Amino acid sequence: MSRPPRIEPSGDVVERIASTALELPDAYEEDAWTGVRWRVRAKTFAHVLVAQEGYTSASRDVTGATEPTTVLTFRSAGDELLALVNAGRPFYRPPWSPTVIGMVLDDDTDWDEVAELVTESYRFCAPLMLRRRLDA
């Protein structure tokens, strides 16, 4: 039995995230094995994809969603990480990294919050000199 073809995130969602991510110093966008990711140097600070049946997915495992679901993963630390881990939907904690948070993106998404979370994730991943440029 073959798997269904991968569903990619909508162009609108990618554009919304890119509008924040690509404004950050030395950030760049690239296609990932599924979806799109934004990186600084060799570190991914945001990744948007569609979790769907037929493919391994921390989102599907943690949330129990059975329908294709657009998700964003990003990095966090400290008090923000603890708050997001305990916030519940739309946030979830993938089991593969202690600093990665997942967020379901849907009609209720607060895009200002997404912009803040992507920027903070960049701060987590970027070297000090780039963080200083961001703060200048």
Side-chain angles (χ1 to χ4, degrees), residues 6 8 29-39 44 46-49:
R6 285 200 187 264
E8 294 298 323
E29 178 180 300
E30 67 181 20
D31 289 336
W33 66 96
T34 183
V36 178
R37 64 184 173 192
W38 292 269
R39 305 184 95 190
T44 299
H47 181 192
V48 65
L49 63 121

Side-chain angles (χ1 to χ4, degrees), residues 29 71 108:
E29 178 180 300
V71 297
D108 297 325

Side-chain angles (χ1 to χ4, degrees), residues 3-4 10 17 21 23 26-27 54 59-60 68 76 82 84 86 102-103 109 112-113 115 123:
R3 293 195 272 184
S10 76
I17 298 166
E23 291 296 316
D26 289 357
S59 171
R60 290 174 53 82
S76 187
L82 291 174
L84 295 172
N86 292 304
M103 179 182 189
T109 297
D112 290 333
E113 180 179 37
R123 286 182 196 281

Side-chain angles (χ1 to χ4, degrees), residues 7-124:
I7 301 169
E8 294 298 323
S10 76
D12 179 56
V13 168
V14 172
E15 287 176 25
R16 283 178 173 234
I17 298 166
S19 70
T20 296
L22 295 177
E23 291 296 316
L24 302 167
D26 289 357
Y28 61 96
E29 178 180 300
E30 67 181 20
D31 289 336
W33 66 96
T34 183
V36 178
R37 64 184 173 192
W38 292 269
R39 305 184 95 190
V40 58
R41 305 289 162 88
K43 295 182 180 179
T44 299
F45 65 90
H47 181 192
V48 65
L49 63 121
V50 176
Q52 70 182 92
E53 190 171 355
Y55 296 90
T56 302
S57 168
S59 171
R60 290 174 53 82
D61 294 345
V62 173
T63 67
T66 57
E67 295 298 315
T69 305
T70 302
V71 297
L72 171 69
T73 59
F74 57 93
R75 300 213 176 250
S76 187
D79 291 340
E80 180 180 63
L81 174 67
L82 291 174
L84 295 172
V85 164
N86 292 304
R89 190 170 169 80
F91 300 101
Y92 66 94
R93 180 110 182 246
W96 38 267
S97 173
T99 62
V100 172
I101 296 292
M103 179 182 189
V104 173
L105 302 177
D106 57 22
D107 292 339
D108 297 325
T109 297
D110 178 343
W111 290 100
D112 290 333
E113 180 179 37
V114 169
E116 290 174 20
L117 294 169
V118 167
T119 301
E120 288 307 308
S121 181
Y122 170 89
R123 286 182 196 281
F124 180 90

